[in-house]
Amino acid sequence: MSEVGIEKMGFATTGLYLDMEDLARRRGVDPDKYTIGIGQKEQSVAPSSQDAVSLAAAAAKDALQGESLEGLDMVLLGTESAVDASRAAAVYVKELLGLPDEIRCVEVKQACYGATAALFWALDYVSRRKDRKVLVIGSDVARYGLNTAGEVTQGAGAVAMLISSNPKILSIEGDSVFMTVEAADFWRPPYTNCALVNGRYSMQIYVEFFSKLWKRYRQNTGKSAKDFEAFLFHLPFAKMGFKALKEVLKDEDEETSARLSKRFETSAAYGRRVGNIYSGSLYLALLSLLEGEAMDPGSKIAFFSYGSGAEAELFSATLKEGYFSQLSPSRHLKMIEERRRVDVDEYEHLFSDFPPSSPQDYACDKKYFSGPFRLVGIKNQQRVYEADE
Ligand code: HMG
């Protein structure tokens, strides 16, 4: 197979965050449980004007800066924060970005695995059409509810990736192993905007899926952990990925363990502050690693994508020469640093101000408008978005 992979990446999150120590104190929990036991420092807070569409469009705009749109055939958006049961969120994104009409726009759903499914669809597509490109986006607002065990693992954001046969960042290998088993670990019935979760079970099945796939991957490829410079995980919270990494490290020598542990920390840096962004979370870990630490071209990186319900895939990629010039570490860090800290009262107010699930008009609070795109409100049962001039 010819080389295909990621040519460019973009990221977006909201303009607000909640500090996990503030949340712990209000919930009567030892802050160490959230910051050490779970491993989260902050979480991005989404006002109703920032949803899966506006965040996806912002991440795509970030990825496409300075890029030609020539050859862009598809926008594939992995999300489980759908804003419509029928229309793909990618259609709104296309319009907000002003992309030409000669394009396909589709939404892909399978919990946090959606963007990975989109990625492999895109890779297959560009491997047969050398001059074409696909924009893959993972975008979500993770909501569990006020005062729930999952609350500390909420977050909001999006990662966009331009996929082509000129992969300037990473070429993705055709060595995937994958699996699907129906599991009641985490799900969201249509009548609620918050996820339902069997927390402990979800952690157990995540590690089980990883162990099975890692074993199968080694059998298929003959590779071992020593062949990899880093392991990247879907990170609902930092400790979760570390639990899976421990499955790899238990058979490894000190040097390999130290290398993979250090790289894991770098990969978790953005996620610790942004929180779970569901579909985009694995790719946020990639961005965090590549922007946080210089690595040698040719380095092999392993990826573990997990989506509740449950489906998982393990695959690998190779870092390209000159990859760093395709990234924007200072811009992305600035996005995170410049968010405004909200206190728990303001967070609770924002969390409860969610567009109604009944047919009435709704206006988003203008006070919280931020970012290049936003939901303005709902009029005559239609979502109204706007972009900066
Ligand atoms: P919990 O039950 O409140 O927490 O919820 P816990 O009692 O299990 O404690 C968590 C950790 O903190 C434990 O460490 C404690 O020991 C430690 P561990 O034993 O796991 O290593 N701890 C402390 N550490 C330091 N100082 C202290 C202290 N106290 C306790 N004082 C849970 C935790 C993750 C279950 C909850 O937050 C939750 O339900 N989250 C949402 C579900 C989730 O993220 N699951 C992950 C796997 S599923 C997945 O990744 C898919 C997903 O992204 C969805 C999708 O695919 O769409 C979620």
Side-chain angles (χ1 to χ4, degrees):
M1 200 172 85
S2 60
E3 244 190 10
V4 284
I6 304 174
E7 181 173 335
K8 198 79 193 288
M9 292 183 78
F11 163 64
T13 190
T14 67
L16 307 170
Y17 78 94
L18 178 65
D19 188 282
M20 290 304 95
E21 294 197 12
D22 291 350
L23 182 67
R25 278 189 213 98
R26 175 64 72 87
R27 299 294 179 245
V29 170
D30 178 354
D32 285 354
K33 173 174 175 183
Y34 286 1
T35 56
I36 300 168
I38 300 281
Q40 293 303 108
K41 184 172 158 44
E42 298 163 0
Q43 72 182 221
S44 287
V45 171
S48 59
S49 47
Q50 290 297 317
D51 64 7
V53 167
S54 66
L55 290 167
K61 184 177 177 184
D62 186 52
L64 294 174
Q65 267 186 42
E67 293 293 313
S68 149
L69 297 179
E70 190 64 33
L72 186 64
D73 276 357
M74 294 203 267
V75 178
L76 303 178
L77 202 169
T79 186
E80 54 179 302
S81 317
V83 299
D84 192 288
S86 170
R87 186 184 305 167
V91 173
Y92 290 108
V93 171
K94 174 256 168 192
E95 222 53 52
L96 285 172
L97 293 172
L99 298 177
D101 294 348
E102 294 72 33
I103 198 160
R104 301 182 182 96
C105 296
V106 180
E107 182 172 311
V108 182
K109 180 182 73 176
Q110 180 14 58
C112 301
Y113 175 77
T116 300
L119 172 66
F120 279 92
W121 178 3
L123 292 170
D124 284 348
Y125 185 83
V126 299
S127 68
R128 284 181 289 123
R129 297 171 186 81
K130 300 279 165 263
D131 58 338
R132 315 314 291 170
K133 296 184 186 192
V134 180
L135 186 60
V136 169
I137 313 167
S139 179
D140 275 299
V141 178
R143 294 169 57 90
Y144 290 89
L146 302 179
N147 239 316
T148 59
E151 187 178 32
V152 60
T153 67
Q154 296 175 148
V159 174
M161 300 176 282
L162 192 60
I163 306 303
S164 78
S165 59
N166 183 17
K168 294 178 186 165
I169 296 178
L170 274 179
S171 68
I172 296 179
E173 317 299 342
D175 57 1
S176 275
V177 288
F178 40 82
M179 63 185 286
T180 303
V181 177
E182 190 191 340
D185 63 330
F186 165 108
W187 67 105
R188 183 167 68 81
Y191 54 77
T192 171
N193 56 48
C194 291
L196 306 181
V197 61
N198 287 324
R200 281 268 135 199
Y201 176 56
S202 75
M203 291 161 76
Q204 177 198 324
I205 190 165
Y206 175 115
V207 175
E208 268 174 34
F209 272 42
F210 174 74
S211 301
K212 281 188 183 153
L213 290 183
W214 176 227
K215 188 172 172 208
R216 183 136 59 90
Y217 182 85
R218 281 178 293 162
Q219 283 164 352
N220 287 0
T221 62
K223 286 186 182 146
S224 75
K226 288 186 188 52
D227 293 307
F228 293 99
E229 286 301 315
F231 271 71
L232 297 177
F233 297 91
H234 162 57
L235 288 180
F237 52 96
K239 187 76 162 293
M240 187 70 251
F242 187 64
K243 283 177 188 288
L245 182 67
K246 278 205 296 205
E247 293 295 298
V248 175
L249 301 187
K250 66 185 182 198
D251 302 323
E252 287 310 320
D253 57 62
E254 243 175 69
E255 192 197 323
T256 309
S257 293
R259 181 180 74 244
L260 296 178
S261 300
K262 178 169 165 277
R263 295 260 159 76
F264 172 78
E265 282 306 318
T266 314
S267 76
Y270 284 175
R272 278 189 205 279
R273 301 187 65 183
V274 172
N276 193 357
I277 59 166
Y278 289 159
S279 201
S281 157
L282 171 63
Y283 304 99
L284 184 61
L286 170 64
L287 201 62
S288 187
L289 174 69
L290 299 186
E291 295 191 341
E293 191 175 330
M295 288 172 70
D296 291 334
S299 295
K300 304 274 181 216
I301 301 175
F303 288 71
F304 176 64
S305 177
Y306 177 84
S308 285
E311 190 156 346
E313 184 149 351
L314 202 154
F315 59 97
S316 79
T318 308
L319 213 46
K320 298 295 295 180
E321 186 79 48
Y323 75 92
F324 199 74
S325 63
Q326 295 298 105
L327 303 168
S328 313
S330 49
R331 191 164 76 229
H332 295 147
L333 202 56
K334 197 161 162 241
M335 280 180 197
I336 294 173
E337 297 286 349
E338 285 186 349
R339 294 169 305 166
R340 177 172 69 78
R341 182 172 175 167
V342 294
D343 62 18
V344 180
D345 286 337
E346 193 172 6
Y347 147 71
E348 290 188 343
H349 162 74
L350 288 165
F351 190 92
S352 306
D353 179 17
F354 199 80
S357 51
S358 51
Q360 68 201 66
D361 287 356
Y362 168 82
C364 296
D365 189 343
K366 284 193 170 131
K367 189 171 117 194
Y368 291 106
F369 282 3
S370 69
F373 307 103
R374 64 209 67 97
L375 175 72
V376 176
I378 297 171
K379 198 155 180 47
N380 301 326
Q381 303 190 59
Q382 303 234 34
R383 295 177 90 82
V384 182
Y385 289 94
E386 73 174 23
D388 280 349
E389 291 299 306

